[in-house]
Amino acid sequence: MNKLTPIFIGGAIIAAASLSFAQAQTGDAGHDTHAGHGTHGVHSSASPSDDPVIRAYQEANDRMHADMAIEFTGDADVDFMRGMIPHHQGAIDMARVVLEHGTDPEVRALAQEVIAAQEAEIAMMREWLTARGH
């Protein structure tokens, strides 16, 4: 698999989850064709606080967004690295939700690939920042 494929897939997963979360927070269900139907009927009666999968994704998403609120330095390279670390960690956290609760073998395999790729990149970014005194 291309080295960047898991990164793009992880980013797409995070973007989709963020959009879903934002829509849920704004109450914009009227524009959603699945409004009021839960997650395709699987969790139709569960509120976010009752469903461990929803709760886990929301916690991962909230943590990622809070951690991405870095103090910018004005150095594009440093700010990119510092912002991407929590972004990648968010992908790892979401992939772990899949490994804990998911059942599809293909999705679980992708989650494992995302974890491995993102952990390696986080390590590289931390080393890069450390080498530059950050």
Side-chain angles (χ1 to χ4, degrees):
M1 176 179 283
N2 181 322
K3 182 178 176 183
L4 293 178
T5 300
I7 296 167
F8 292 129
I9 292 170
I13 291 169
I14 290 171
S18 297
L19 290 172
S20 295
F21 179 74
Q23 184 177 24
Q25 295 302 312
T26 61
D28 192 20
H31 294 96
D32 183 1
T33 59
H34 296 287
H37 298 287
T39 308
H40 302 286
V42 175
H43 302 285
S44 59
S45 63
S47 71
S49 62
D50 294 336
D51 188 307
V53 175
I54 294 171
R55 188 172 47 251
Y57 279 127
Q58 286 180 331
E59 289 171 359
N61 191 47
D62 290 347
R63 187 172 41 253
M64 177 188 69
H65 284 276
D67 291 348
M68 286 178 65
I70 63 170
E71 185 175 327
F72 293 101
T73 65
D75 181 320
D77 299 324
V78 169
D79 292 346
F80 175 78
M81 294 295 209
R82 291 179 60 229
M84 287 305 292
I85 290 171
H87 187 266
H88 280 28
Q89 185 62 53
I92 292 167
D93 294 345
M94 291 174 61
R96 287 186 175 140
V97 173
V98 168
L99 294 179
E100 184 174 346
H101 300 281
T103 58
D104 185 287
E106 188 175 6
V107 176
R108 292 176 57 81
L110 175 61
Q112 290 171 329
E113 290 177 21
V114 167
I115 290 169
Q118 302 296 298
E119 284 179 340
E121 289 186 13
I122 288 172
M124 183 277 299
M125 288 184 272
R126 286 187 174 142
E127 290 171 12
W128 187 94
L129 287 165
T130 299
R132 286 153 184 84
H134 295 279

